[in-house]
Amino acid sequence: MKAPDSKKTIAIIGAGISGLSAAAYAAQAGNEVHVYEKHAQPGGRARQFRTENGYVFDMGPSWYWMPDIIDNFFLDFGYKASDFYQLISLNPQFEMVFEDGLLTVPESYEDLKKLFEQLETGAGKKFDAFMSAAKYKYEVGMQDFVNKPCYSWLEFVSPKIAGSALKLDLLSNFRSYVSKYFSHPKLKTLMEFPVIFLGASPKNIPALYSLMNYGGYALGTWYPMGGFYQLVLGMKEVAEKQGALFHFNQNVEKIVTEEGVASGIVVNGEFKEFDAIIASSDYHHTETLLNSELRNYDQKYWKSRTFAPSCLIYYLGFKEKLPNLKHHTLFFENDLDEHIKSIYEEKKWPEKPLFYACCPSQTDPDVAPEGHENVFLLMPLATGLNDEESTREHYFQDMIKRLEKHTGAKDLLSKLNYKRSYGVDDFISDYNAYGGNAYGLANTLSQTAVLKPGIKNKHLSNLFYTGQLTVPGPGVPPSIISGKIVAKEVNKLKQTRREKII
């Protein structure tokens, strides 16, 4: 990143993935960067905690996909991801549990192609065609399309993007697109699964996002030894090497403004002056730190948005190993569309839910005591639900019964020696997440690119927003990109605040 037009003091609110990225890039450019985080550790939703009896739990992200995008962050600073942690390629990548059996997704592309052919004659060649198109979308989308600040559609007027418009399939929906290639229900579900967490039914997600199939299935599913938190620690170390300073247990209570600029922030009751501010905190919450007339969006706007899911999570420690459980397992015995309908249309707790189980102790012996198992259960939910402990427990019992059926283990409840739940209310209290969302705004066509909340405050020349509620969208790789985009924009400010930023 080129030297800034003028060295600035920059405050970053929040040390989540986008905040860590923004801190590293802003500091690399020669600015004085201070990151204020209300928790005692970095990472935001990607935090980690340790129990007294020896379990280590990643609190959020667990799918390490798009490894090249993550590695690009480190390469921008002269490092590689392998300088900070060891990546293991998972084989199988994951398993899907259906009512009538298992679908095991192999590590090898050729083995995956054979699996498609076994389930549906001719699907092997169609898989090649699907993934070839997905690779093109991935290369154009993740290199050109997502790296824009999205102030205007004119940013996308380039020969390359214009020439790619049809191939990017922006106007066709993902479900119809998948159905053009495959008819077997399990194959269709396998291909649709990655977009569920983008925040809408596959019928409402642009077919552009087949790029996720390439970023996962073709580039592989990985695990950083020590847990996903190793990425957080690596990013923090890179930011610190650039000169960024981190301040933990520091809650930002107000953004102070004067004459069209943000003059600083109030942290734990103390005013701190800065030339520019980058908010990696929840976008809606950040705006509540401003007077109402200085906000980009009102309450009506946020209520009209389509949010990606919240979720119910259980962190579990078992005092013996669980047979037949892979690192990643998707429990899809129930109807996908019914669960999706409960999230996005009915806004209620699902009657017959799907859920996901992560068992990192299958790969990493250091995340559980010897002979024990570390299990993370996650069930996608609508935002804004009434989140009572008794309701959580009802779904916990359902998930445990299905886990027992799948693994063949008996009476798992008697083997539990650690249990913690985490749900809608926790996302609100820990992250000020609007509606308790876990994954930001849905990547629907009406909430793509310029149609997402803007990265720059309309009324204050030096306040910027980064993270999963703005461009490019939800997920760890997009959040890394989001931090880089915003750091570049702050770098363009031609004067410091004291010289009146223009």
Side-chain angles (χ1 to χ4, degrees):
M1 187 175 286
K2 70 176 183 178
D5 292 310
S6 182
K7 181 179 178 180
K8 293 171 277 290
T9 57
I10 300 172
I12 296 180
I13 305 173
I17 296 293
S18 64
L20 292 168
S21 175
Y25 287 108
Q28 183 190 46
N31 298 301
E32 180 184 326
V33 177
H34 294 264
V35 184
Y36 295 91
E37 168 57 53
K38 78 169 189 173
H39 293 107
Q41 63 183 128
R45 287 164 170 78
R47 289 180 298 153
Q48 188 179 78
F49 72 93
R50 296 172 180 267
T51 70
E52 292 183 357
N53 56 349
Y55 297 97
V56 181
F57 291 100
D58 283 322
M59 294 188 69
S62 59
W63 290 81
Y64 197 106
W65 275 3
M66 304 185 184
D68 57 326
I69 303 299
I70 296 174
D71 211 44
N72 283 343
F73 168 81
F74 292 105
L75 289 170
D76 281 345
F77 301 92
Y79 302 104
K80 295 178 291 186
S82 59
D83 293 328
F84 299 92
Y85 47 85
Q86 179 190 3
L87 274 181
I88 301 294
S89 178
L90 298 182
N91 189 24
Q93 297 191 42
F94 57 93
E95 277 192 339
M96 300 184 82
V97 180
F98 293 98
E99 189 62 37
D100 59 351
L102 288 176
L103 187 65
T104 301
V105 179
E107 175 186 36
S108 157
Y109 180 92
E110 286 304 315
D111 288 343
L112 186 52
K113 181 179 172 181
K114 289 175 185 175
L115 173 65
F116 272 69
E117 187 64 32
Q118 288 168 6
L119 289 174
E120 181 181 323
T121 302
K125 284 187 177 180
K126 289 181 179 178
F127 180 66
D128 270 341
F130 183 100
M131 294 301 275
S132 176
K135 180 180 181 181
Y136 180 84
K137 292 172 193 169
Y138 185 84
E139 290 173 346
V140 174
M142 297 308 291
Q143 291 177 20
D144 298 301
F145 198 76
V146 302
N147 285 295
K148 310 289 186 185
C150 294
Y151 296 130
S152 164
W153 289 112
L154 292 175
E155 295 167 29
F156 297 91
V157 179
S158 72
K160 185 172 184 181
I161 292 179
S164 305
L166 289 176
K167 290 184 179 180
L168 290 176
D169 287 305
L170 280 167
L171 299 179
S172 53
N173 76 71
F174 195 81
R175 170 152 292 169
S176 297
Y177 182 77
V178 169
S179 295
K180 290 178 183 178
Y181 288 87
F182 312 109
S183 58
H184 194 289
K186 286 183 182 176
L187 294 183
K188 290 165 77 170
T189 299
L190 173 62
M191 300 311 274
E192 288 182 355
F193 141 69
V195 305
I196 292 173
F197 295 100
L198 291 179
S201 166
K203 66 185 179 184
N204 294 324
I205 292 286
L208 165 71
Y209 290 102
S210 64
L211 63 86
M212 291 186 66
N213 298 97
Y214 179 79
Y217 304 163
L219 298 184
T221 302
W222 302 79
Y223 173 78
M225 295 298 284
F228 209 97
Y229 191 62
Q230 297 307 309
L231 169 61
V232 171
L233 295 179
M235 292 183 70
K236 176 176 179 282
E237 185 175 344
V238 167
E240 288 177 323
K241 287 177 182 291
Q242 311 312 306
L245 299 171
F246 287 81
H247 310 275
F248 297 105
N249 298 306
Q250 301 285 305
N251 187 41
V252 176
E253 299 157 344
K254 186 175 177 61
I255 297 173
V256 180
T257 65
E258 59 179 58
E259 299 180 356
V261 296
S263 56
I265 55 177
V266 176
V267 185
N268 289 353
E270 180 183 352
F271 173 72
K272 297 180 183 294
E273 186 179 37
F274 286 96
D275 295 319
I277 297 167
I278 297 173
S280 172
S281 44
D282 176 90
Y283 200 124
H284 169 269
H285 169 72
T286 301
E287 298 241 283
T288 68
L289 305 179
L290 295 164
N291 292 337
S292 59
E293 69 274 11
L294 297 176
R295 298 170 187 171
N296 279 352
Y297 307 101
D298 59 17
Q299 204 59 28
K300 183 180 178 182
Y301 170 86
W302 291 109
K303 286 183 178 178
S304 72
R305 298 300 88 189
T306 301
F307 278 83
S310 183
C311 54
L312 172 62
I313 299 171
Y314 272 93
Y315 308 101
L316 306 173
F318 292 96
K319 53 192 176 184
E320 65 178 50
K321 303 298 283 186
L322 273 60
N324 306 314
L325 188 61
K326 299 296 188 284
H327 190 117
H328 296 302
T329 307
L330 300 165
F331 286 78
F332 274 52
E333 312 99 305
N334 297 325
D335 185 77
L336 171 62
D337 284 340
E338 283 302 309
H339 191 141
I340 288 173
K341 185 178 178 182
S342 74
I343 295 174
Y344 302 116
E345 296 177 28
E346 300 171 336
K347 302 280 186 182
K348 68 175 188 179
W349 287 85
E351 292 181 14
K352 294 183 177 180
L354 313 177
F355 74 98
Y356 155 63
C358 180
C359 186
S361 49
Q362 290 284 337
T363 304
D364 188 347
D366 293 333
V367 298
E370 186 175 356
H372 291 219
E373 210 79 281
N374 173 320
V375 177
F376 166 107
L377 304 180
L378 183 152
M379 187 176 79
L381 293 173
T383 56
L385 292 180
N386 184 20
D387 184 26
E388 296 179 354
E389 189 59 42
S390 59
T391 307
R392 294 185 185 189
E393 185 64 22
H394 166 78
Y395 287 95
F396 171 70
Q397 295 290 337
D398 176 73
M399 290 188 283
I400 284 293
K401 287 176 184 175
R402 289 158 68 183
L403 195 61
E404 287 178 336
K405 181 179 178 181
H406 171 62
T407 61
K410 305 293 184 184
D411 195 15
L412 283 179
L413 292 177
S414 69
K415 295 158 187 173
L416 265 180
N417 67 343
Y418 184 81
K419 175 186 175 186
R420 175 185 175 185
S421 67
Y422 198 95
V424 175
D425 289 349
D426 299 293
F427 282 101
I428 294 171
S429 62
D430 279 0
Y431 310 119
N432 301 300
Y434 186 84
N437 81 84
Y439 302 97
L441 278 180
N443 268 356
T444 58
L445 190 57
S446 63
Q447 294 181 165
T448 294
V450 178
L451 302 177
K452 284 187 181 294
I455 66 168
K456 192 174 189 297
N457 186 279
K458 301 169 187 174
H459 312 285
L460 303 165
S461 60
N462 61 339
L463 173 59
F464 295 80
Y465 308 84
T466 185
Q468 60 183 8
L469 285 171
T470 184
V471 294
V476 170
S479 291
I480 292 173
I481 293 168
S482 183
K484 182 177 183 178
I485 291 170
V486 168
K488 282 184 175 180
E489 294 307 301
V490 173
N491 201 38
K492 292 176 184 176
L493 295 175
K494 295 191 181 301
Q495 296 174 308
T496 67
R497 192 197 65 79
R498 295 171 191 83
E499 299 165 325
K500 192 156 184 172
I501 285 178
I502 59 172

